[in-house]
Amino acid sequence: RILKCYKLWHIYEPVFLLFTFRTYAIRRIRDAFRENKNITDSEKIEELVNKAKANLEIIHRQVTIGQLYSTQKLVIE
Amino acid sequence: MLLWRRLAALRAAPGPRRLSVAAPRPGPGPGAGKAEAAGGRAGRGPVPGPSGDGDGALRPLYMDVQATTPLDPRVLDSMLPYLTAYYGNPHSRTHAYGWESEAAVEKARRQVADLIGADSREIIFTSGATESNNMAIKGVARFYKSRNKHIITTQTEHKCVLDSCRSLEAEGFRVTYLPVQKNGLIDLKELEAAFQPDTGLVSVMTVNNEIGVKQPIHDIGEICRARKVFFHTDAAQAIGKIPMDVNDMKIDLMSISGHKIYGPKGVGAVYVRRRPRVRLEPLQSGGGQERGLRSGTVPTPLAVGLGAACEVAQQEMEYDHKRISQLAERLVTKIMSEVPDVVMNGDREHRYPGCINLSFAYVEGESLLMALKDVALSSGSACTSASLEPSYVLRAIGTDEDLAHSSIRFGIGRFTTEEEVDYTVQKCIQHVKRLREMSPLWEMVQDGIDLKSIKWTQH
């Protein structure tokens, strides 16, 4: 189940338009999953998965807004 | 399942089209026909920015986080409902719009208080750290003016603190501006010596916005508590980045700024201790909101944004600090190993790693900034960058005039990536080398002439 969540997040990666947020999201998600991979307490897992779902919704909304108000790319891209 | 459909819509939407800036912009109007779900039209919204820049002008990298920070998407997400649907005035007591607004403001207050270890009744929302500083300094000084007429502050404080003190001097207060040592930290013995029988307030900022040094707040707090003098700190740059606890550090007043911690601009807060009670004379008179200390409607969306920013900062503090330290180390070591004669202003250990102020000898700061046009940097705080003088903070730590003119401040934040740091470093090294080639002073130094021994002729 957690793997499904993780895959969902990764699909969103290219959609975030603003460089700063895109790179941050990828990095933060990867590190968060890596940090929590050893937790076995099922209650804690439930809590983390719910938090992950909430964050997913936030990302989804913000990505839409980012697309509506997009601007030019950064020099580095 | 609905998520998958919306996801597909998002991916199908065309990416940002590179429109010519000169052509008239097609607004969101013509795209309204495509009534999709959340994905909708990925067209150009109103795009501010320099017009006439030409086709596809790329935006510079942002390395100036001490000036302001981008709004974290999580913060924007928490603010939007209060900018659209829940628009009530939090002080309206008679209907649901007011109640829900008030609930949101109280929740934000609690989030801010949790970050600093305070009680939520001790947090007052203001319009920013400048207003908080003004409130704290002028308010405390004026309330207790019958007993205490002396204020101690430092020479490296933010302009608003120094200006408030100056206006208090005109009202008859005496102010001692403590000098700082070469590393930017104040000398605790000098601070103790500066106390007078009628000292009422000590104001020292936690993390300096120009050189990044972290003052010994714990020790200063102890000293002030022992002498029963109020301790105010401008923590705008420190909040959410280093752990702050008002009880641990014995702080009586603290200024918080929203837009330095990935929150919205236009909001801040001031922490005013209740036990033992700190009394303030309010600057803004009116309907008695915010415990009578700051009248005026509390801007719900901004306050909610500040609260969310504080909560996010609390969760991310350790992660961000580790990353930013690594990136800062990387930036400094790379630049210093490639380019000689670079001075870091400010103490090496007692600092916040995300604010790096480097002085490049024999290079003019303005020309280096112009050359680094692909990177957004600054050479001194945003408030003083309009004038031609070098920053007073650098002058206070005793840098020579020429080094003070050639200083650049690099800011590393939550969203800064390794590539951005590498790009900045590479461009910086390249341009410093180029500018030094052109500089006659550099030639002289290469030949071994000591610049200080030269007598320049006057024309």
Side-chain angles (χ1 to χ4, degrees), chain B residues 13 18 49 121 177 218 221 226 240 244 249 343 345 380 386 414 443 450:
Chain B
R18 202 148 308 276
R121 288 168 298 180
Y177 299 94
H218 264 107
M244 302 277 297
M249 298 172 168
V343 176
N345 298 311
R414 184 185 292 163
E443 283 170 25
D450 175 20

Side-chain angles (χ1 to χ4, degrees), chain B residues 139-203:
Chain B
V140 167
R142 287 174 190 160
F143 191 88
Y144 293 100
K145 71 169 174 265
S146 49
R147 288 187 300 176
N148 300 322
K149 284 233 144 204
H150 182 233
I151 297 172
I152 302 177
T153 183
T154 68
Q155 285 177 1
T156 53
E157 290 295 306
H158 195 263
K159 252 326 172 92
C160 55
V161 171
L162 295 177
D163 241 38
S164 307
C165 290
R166 192 162 334 128
S167 79
L168 286 176
E169 278 183 347
E171 290 179 22
F173 289 84
R174 292 181 331 273
V175 183
T176 303
Y177 299 94
L178 285 178
V180 290
Q181 302 165 61
K182 273 204 110 41
N183 60 2
L185 299 171
I186 64 168
D187 188 348
L188 291 171
K189 288 196 226 15
E190 272 194 38
L191 171 64
E192 292 191 9
F195 276 99
Q196 291 174 19
D198 64 344
T199 301
L201 181 66
V202 170
S203 176

Side-chain angles (χ1 to χ4, degrees), chain B residues 310-349:
Chain B
C310 287
E311 186 170 352
V312 169
Q314 193 171 17
Q315 291 163 351
E316 304 282 330
M317 206 189 295
E318 207 184 296
Y319 179 83
D320 283 345
H321 195 266
K322 204 163 62 163
R323 256 198 84 242
I324 290 174
S325 310
Q326 285 169 350
L327 287 176
E329 224 10 80
R330 191 190 174 94
L331 186 142
V332 172
T333 11
K334 275 200 168 173
I335 291 187
M336 290 202 157
S337 61
E338 296 271 332
V339 177
D341 293 312
V342 175
V343 176
M344 185 196 283
N345 298 311
D347 195 80
R348 268 228 131 144
E349 275 105 50

Side-chain angles (χ1 to χ4, degrees), chain B residues 33-52:
Chain B
K34 188 175 168 197
E36 271 280 5
R41 165 186 161 81
R44 286 304 187 100
V47 175
S51 55

Side-chain angles (χ1 to χ4, degrees), chain A residues 11-12 14 19 21 23-24 27-28 31 58 60-62 64-65 67-68 70-76, chain B residues 6 10 38 41 43 45 57-60 71 73-74 76-77 80 316 319 323 414-415 417 419-420 423:
Chain A
I11 290 167
Y12 270 113
F19 177 81
F21 300 141
T23 47
Y24 178 74
R27 195 190 330 121
R28 190 71 187 90
D31 287 341
I58 291 178
H60 174 74
R61 286 194 288 264
Q62 291 304 312
T64 316
I65 290 172
Q67 288 184 324
L68 292 172
S70 61
T71 178
Q72 301 101 330
K73 287 189 186 292
L74 279 185
V75 175
I76 211 169
Chain B
R6 283 197 270 172
L10 268 174
R41 165 186 161 81
L58 299 170
R59 290 174 65 73
L71 200 56
R74 292 165 280 199
L76 181 59
D77 195 71
L80 281 171
E316 304 282 330
Y319 179 83
R323 256 198 84 242
R414 184 185 292 163
F415 299 109
T417 60
E419 306 163 314
E420 289 178 332
Y423 183 88

